[in-house]
mmCIF file of all heavy atoms in Angstrom:
data_model
loop_
_atom_site.group_PDB
_atom_site.id
_atom_site.type_symbol
_atom_site.label_atom_id
_atom_site.label_comp_id
_atom_site.label_asym_id
_atom_site.label_seq_id
_atom_site.Cartn_x
_atom_site.Cartn_y
_atom_site.Cartn_z
ATOM 1 N N GLY O 1461 74.312 5.525 29.632
ATOM 2 C CA GLY O 1461 73.704 6.682 30.261
ATOM 3 C C GLY O 1461 74.224 6.986 31.645
ATOM 4 O O GLY O 1461 73.879 8.004 32.222
ATOM 5 N N LEU O 1462 75.051 6.137 32.228
ATOM 6 C CA LEU O 1462 75.507 6.357 33.595
ATOM 7 C C LEU O 1462 76.353 7.623 33.675
ATOM 8 O O LEU O 1462 77.295 7.795 32.919
ATOM 9 C CB LEU O 1462 76.300 5.157 34.104
ATOM 10 C CG LEU O 1462 75.501 3.864 34.236
ATOM 11 C CD1 LEU O 1462 76.392 2.726 34.686
ATOM 12 C CD2 LEU O 1462 74.350 4.039 35.212
ATOM 13 N N GLY O 1463 75.980 8.508 34.582
ATOM 14 C CA GLY O 1463 76.715 9.748 34.756
ATOM 15 C C GLY O 1463 76.427 10.777 33.691
ATOM 16 O O GLY O 1463 77.054 11.827 33.655
ATOM 17 N N GLN O 1464 75.485 10.509 32.811
ATOM 18 C CA GLN O 1464 75.228 11.400 31.696
ATOM 19 C C GLN O 1464 73.833 11.996 31.756
ATOM 20 O O GLN O 1464 73.306 12.438 30.753
ATOM 21 C CB GLN O 1464 75.410 10.649 30.380
ATOM 22 C CG GLN O 1464 76.826 10.116 30.217
ATOM 23 C CD GLN O 1464 76.968 9.251 28.996
ATOM 24 O OE1 GLN O 1464 76.019 9.041 28.260
ATOM 25 N NE2 GLN O 1464 78.155 8.742 28.772
ATOM 26 N N TYR O 1465 73.239 12.012 32.938
ATOM 27 C CA TYR O 1465 71.903 12.553 33.036
ATOM 28 C C TYR O 1465 71.734 13.318 34.335
ATOM 29 O O TYR O 1465 72.402 13.037 35.316
ATOM 30 C CB TYR O 1465 70.841 11.446 32.931
ATOM 31 C CG TYR O 1465 70.965 10.391 34.002
ATOM 32 C CD1 TYR O 1465 70.222 10.493 35.175
ATOM 33 C CD2 TYR O 1465 71.806 9.315 33.845
ATOM 34 C CE1 TYR O 1465 70.345 9.537 36.170
ATOM 35 C CE2 TYR O 1465 71.929 8.349 34.840
ATOM 36 C CZ TYR O 1465 71.190 8.476 35.993
ATOM 37 O OH TYR O 1465 71.315 7.528 36.970
ATOM 38 N N GLU O 1466 70.864 14.307 34.283
ATOM 39 C CA GLU O 1466 70.444 14.997 35.486
ATOM 40 C C GLU O 1466 69.110 14.391 35.886
ATOM 41 O O GLU O 1466 68.297 14.073 35.029
ATOM 42 C CB GLU O 1466 70.277 16.485 35.203
ATOM 43 C CG GLU O 1466 71.570 17.161 34.815
ATOM 44 C CD GLU O 1466 71.361 18.618 34.468
ATOM 45 O OE1 GLU O 1466 70.227 19.099 34.620
ATOM 46 O OE2 GLU O 1466 72.324 19.244 34.041
ATOM 47 N N THR O 1467 68.894 14.241 37.176
ATOM 48 C CA THR O 1467 67.686 13.535 37.573
ATOM 49 C C THR O 1467 67.091 14.089 38.846
ATOM 50 O O THR O 1467 67.805 14.573 39.717
ATOM 51 C CB THR O 1467 67.986 12.028 37.744
ATOM 52 O OG1 THR O 1467 66.784 11.367 38.116
ATOM 53 C CG2 THR O 1467 69.037 11.792 38.810
ATOM 54 N N GLU O 1468 65.784 14.061 38.905
ATOM 55 C CA GLU O 1468 65.077 14.301 40.147
ATOM 56 C C GLU O 1468 64.742 12.965 40.788
ATOM 57 O O GLU O 1468 64.207 12.908 41.875
ATOM 58 C CB GLU O 1468 63.784 15.073 39.876
ATOM 59 C CG GLU O 1468 64.004 16.446 39.269
ATOM 60 C CD GLU O 1468 62.694 17.092 38.859
ATOM 61 O OE1 GLU O 1468 61.625 16.596 39.260
ATOM 62 O OE2 GLU O 1468 62.740 18.070 38.116
ATOM 63 N N VAL O 1469 65.020 11.880 40.086
ATOM 64 C CA VAL O 1469 64.742 10.539 40.556
ATOM 65 C C VAL O 1469 66.077 9.892 40.906
ATOM 66 O O VAL O 1469 66.991 9.862 40.084
ATOM 67 C CB VAL O 1469 64.025 9.701 39.469
ATOM 68 C CG1 VAL O 1469 63.758 8.288 39.953
ATOM 69 C CG2 VAL O 1469 62.734 10.375 39.036
ATOM 70 N N ASP O 1470 66.210 9.401 42.138
ATOM 71 C CA ASP O 1470 67.417 8.679 42.540
ATOM 72 C C ASP O 1470 67.309 7.293 41.924
ATOM 73 O O ASP O 1470 66.647 6.406 42.466
ATOM 74 C CB ASP O 1470 67.496 8.614 44.068
ATOM 75 C CG ASP O 1470 68.752 7.922 44.544
ATOM 76 O OD1 ASP O 1470 69.663 7.684 43.716
ATOM 77 O OD2 ASP O 1470 68.823 7.594 45.738
ATOM 78 N N ALA O 1471 67.934 7.110 40.764
ATOM 79 C CA ALA O 1471 67.679 5.906 39.983
ATOM 80 C C ALA O 1471 68.930 5.391 39.301
ATOM 81 O O ALA O 1471 69.858 6.146 39.009
ATOM 82 C CB ALA O 1471 66.611 6.189 38.931
ATOM 83 N N ASP O 1472 68.931 4.080 39.053
ATOM 84 C CA ASP O 1472 69.901 3.466 38.148
ATOM 85 C C ASP O 1472 69.257 3.481 36.767
ATOM 86 O O ASP O 1472 68.102 3.055 36.617
ATOM 87 C CB ASP O 1472 70.191 2.019 38.557
ATOM 88 C CG ASP O 1472 70.873 1.930 39.903
ATOM 89 O OD1 ASP O 1472 71.770 2.751 40.173
ATOM 90 O OD2 ASP O 1472 70.513 1.032 40.691
ATOM 91 N N VAL O 1473 69.996 3.968 35.763
ATOM 92 C CA VAL O 1473 69.448 4.096 34.418
ATOM 93 C C VAL O 1473 70.365 3.367 33.437
ATOM 94 O O VAL O 1473 71.573 3.594 33.428
ATOM 95 C CB VAL O 1473 69.327 5.578 34.010
ATOM 96 C CG1 VAL O 1473 68.777 5.709 32.597
ATOM 97 C CG2 VAL O 1473 68.445 6.331 34.993
ATOM 98 N N ASN O 1474 69.776 2.489 32.623
ATOM 99 C CA ASN O 1474 70.541 1.757 31.620
ATOM 100 C C ASN O 1474 69.787 1.738 30.299
ATOM 101 O O ASN O 1474 68.573 1.477 30.281
ATOM 102 C CB ASN O 1474 70.791 0.317 32.069
ATOM 103 C CG ASN O 1474 71.702 0.242 33.265
ATOM 104 O OD1 ASN O 1474 72.892 0.486 33.147
ATOM 105 N ND2 ASN O 1474 71.137 -0.066 34.420
ATOM 106 N N ILE O 1475 70.504 2.004 29.217
ATOM 107 C CA ILE O 1475 69.928 1.846 27.887
ATOM 108 C C ILE O 1475 70.169 0.401 27.464
ATOM 109 O O ILE O 1475 71.311 -0.051 27.378
ATOM 110 C CB ILE O 1475 70.535 2.830 26.878
ATOM 111 C CG1 ILE O 1475 70.154 4.261 27.264
ATOM 112 C CG2 ILE O 1475 70.060 2.502 25.468
ATOM 113 C CD1 ILE O 1475 70.705 5.331 26.340
ATOM 114 N N VAL O 1476 69.085 -0.312 27.230
ATOM 115 C CA VAL O 1476 69.162 -1.722 26.882
ATOM 116 C C VAL O 1476 69.445 -1.893 25.397
ATOM 117 O O VAL O 1476 70.214 -2.755 24.988
ATOM 118 C CB VAL O 1476 67.847 -2.441 27.258
ATOM 119 C CG1 VAL O 1476 67.887 -3.897 26.832
ATOM 120 C CG2 VAL O 1476 67.587 -2.312 28.748
ATOM 121 N N ASP O 1477 68.815 -1.062 24.560
ATOM 122 C CA ASP O 1477 68.963 -1.205 23.109
ATOM 123 C C ASP O 1477 68.589 0.093 22.424
ATOM 124 O O ASP O 1477 67.847 0.913 22.981
ATOM 125 C CB ASP O 1477 68.058 -2.326 22.606
ATOM 126 C CG ASP O 1477 68.550 -2.953 21.303
ATOM 127 O OD1 ASP O 1477 69.540 -2.434 20.731
ATOM 128 O OD2 ASP O 1477 67.965 -3.939 20.872
ATOM 129 N N VAL O 1478 69.124 0.293 21.227
ATOM 130 C CA VAL O 1478 68.737 1.392 20.338
ATOM 131 C C VAL O 1478 68.421 0.766 18.994
ATOM 132 O O VAL O 1478 69.246 0.045 18.437
ATOM 133 C CB VAL O 1478 69.864 2.438 20.187
ATOM 134 C CG1 VAL O 1478 69.429 3.557 19.243
ATOM 135 C CG2 VAL O 1478 70.252 3.013 21.539
ATOM 136 N N MET O 1479 67.206 0.996 18.500
ATOM 137 C CA MET O 1479 66.759 0.325 17.284
ATOM 138 C C MET O 1479 65.715 1.175 16.573
ATOM 139 O O MET O 1479 65.323 2.229 17.076
ATOM 140 C CB MET O 1479 66.148 -1.025 17.640
ATOM 141 C CG MET O 1479 64.877 -0.890 18.493
ATOM 142 S SD MET O 1479 64.238 -2.454 19.099
ATOM 143 C CE MET O 1479 65.124 -2.552 20.631
ATOM 144 N N ARG O 1480 65.281 0.704 15.425
ATOM 145 C CA ARG O 1480 64.121 1.322 14.779
ATOM 146 C C ARG O 1480 62.873 0.919 15.529
ATOM 147 O O ARG O 1480 62.771 -0.184 16.042
ATOM 148 C CB ARG O 1480 64.006 0.874 13.329
ATOM 149 C CG ARG O 1480 64.962 1.567 12.418
ATOM 150 C CD ARG O 1480 64.608 1.304 10.983
ATOM 151 N NE ARG O 1480 65.507 2.024 10.104
ATOM 152 C CZ ARG O 1480 65.399 2.024 8.790
ATOM 153 N NH1 ARG O 1480 64.452 1.326 8.215
ATOM 154 N NH2 ARG O 1480 66.243 2.704 8.069
ATOM 155 N N SER O 1481 61.916 1.836 15.571
ATOM 156 C CA SER O 1481 60.652 1.553 16.240
ATOM 157 C C SER O 1481 59.901 0.442 15.521
ATOM 158 O O SER O 1481 59.900 0.368 14.289
ATOM 159 C CB SER O 1481 59.793 2.823 16.265
ATOM 160 O OG SER O 1481 58.482 2.511 16.658
ATOM 161 N N ASP O 1482 59.256 -0.417 16.300
ATOM 162 C CA ASP O 1482 58.429 -1.472 15.710
ATOM 163 C C ASP O 1482 57.183 -0.894 15.053
ATOM 164 O O ASP O 1482 56.683 -1.416 14.070
ATOM 165 C CB ASP O 1482 57.988 -2.465 16.793
ATOM 166 C CG ASP O 1482 59.151 -3.264 17.341
ATOM 167 O OD1 ASP O 1482 60.154 -3.413 16.626
ATOM 168 O OD2 ASP O 1482 59.048 -3.726 18.486
ATOM 169 N N SER O 1483 56.673 0.216 15.608
ATOM 170 C CA SER O 1483 55.409 0.761 15.129
ATOM 171 C C SER O 1483 55.572 1.688 13.925
ATOM 172 O O SER O 1483 54.652 1.836 13.140
ATOM 173 C CB SER O 1483 54.698 1.525 16.248
ATOM 174 O OG SER O 1483 55.522 2.567 16.731
ATOM 175 N N ASP O 1484 56.751 2.326 13.762
ATOM 176 C CA ASP O 1484 56.965 3.252 12.654
ATOM 177 C C ASP O 1484 58.448 3.292 12.324
ATOM 178 O O ASP O 1484 59.256 3.787 13.117
ATOM 179 C CB ASP O 1484 56.476 4.649 13.038
ATOM 180 C CG ASP O 1484 56.485 5.624 11.876
ATOM 181 O OD1 ASP O 1484 57.251 5.398 10.907
ATOM 182 O OD2 ASP O 1484 55.747 6.607 11.923
ATOM 183 N N PRO O 1485 58.858 2.802 11.138
ATOM 184 C CA PRO O 1485 60.281 2.746 10.784
ATOM 185 C C PRO O 1485 60.945 4.123 10.631
ATOM 186 O O PRO O 1485 62.161 4.199 10.566
ATOM 187 C CB PRO O 1485 60.299 1.977 9.463
ATOM 188 C CG PRO O 1485 58.918 2.085 8.931
ATOM 189 C CD PRO O 1485 58.004 2.215 10.110
ATOM 190 N N ALA O 1486 60.158 5.196 10.610
ATOM 191 C CA ALA O 1486 60.731 6.539 10.544
ATOM 192 C C ALA O 1486 61.215 7.011 11.912
ATOM 193 O O ALA O 1486 61.827 8.067 12.032
ATOM 194 C CB ALA O 1486 59.719 7.528 9.981
#
């Protein structure tokens, strides 16, 4: 996500993981 977002928050943003939701597999 670095450099790929517009923000009003001065923040470091990292995607840790992409997976199916634990609560709903859809």
Side-chain angles (χ1 to χ4, degrees):
L1462 295 177
Q1464 299 174 0
Y1465 59 94
E1466 296 177 5
T1467 181
E1468 298 173 13
V1469 179
D1470 182 11
D1472 295 319
V1473 179
N1474 293 288
I1475 294 180
V1476 177
D1477 205 354
V1478 179
M1479 64 187 90
R1480 282 192 178 183
S1481 168
D1482 292 335
S1483 58
D1484 188 337

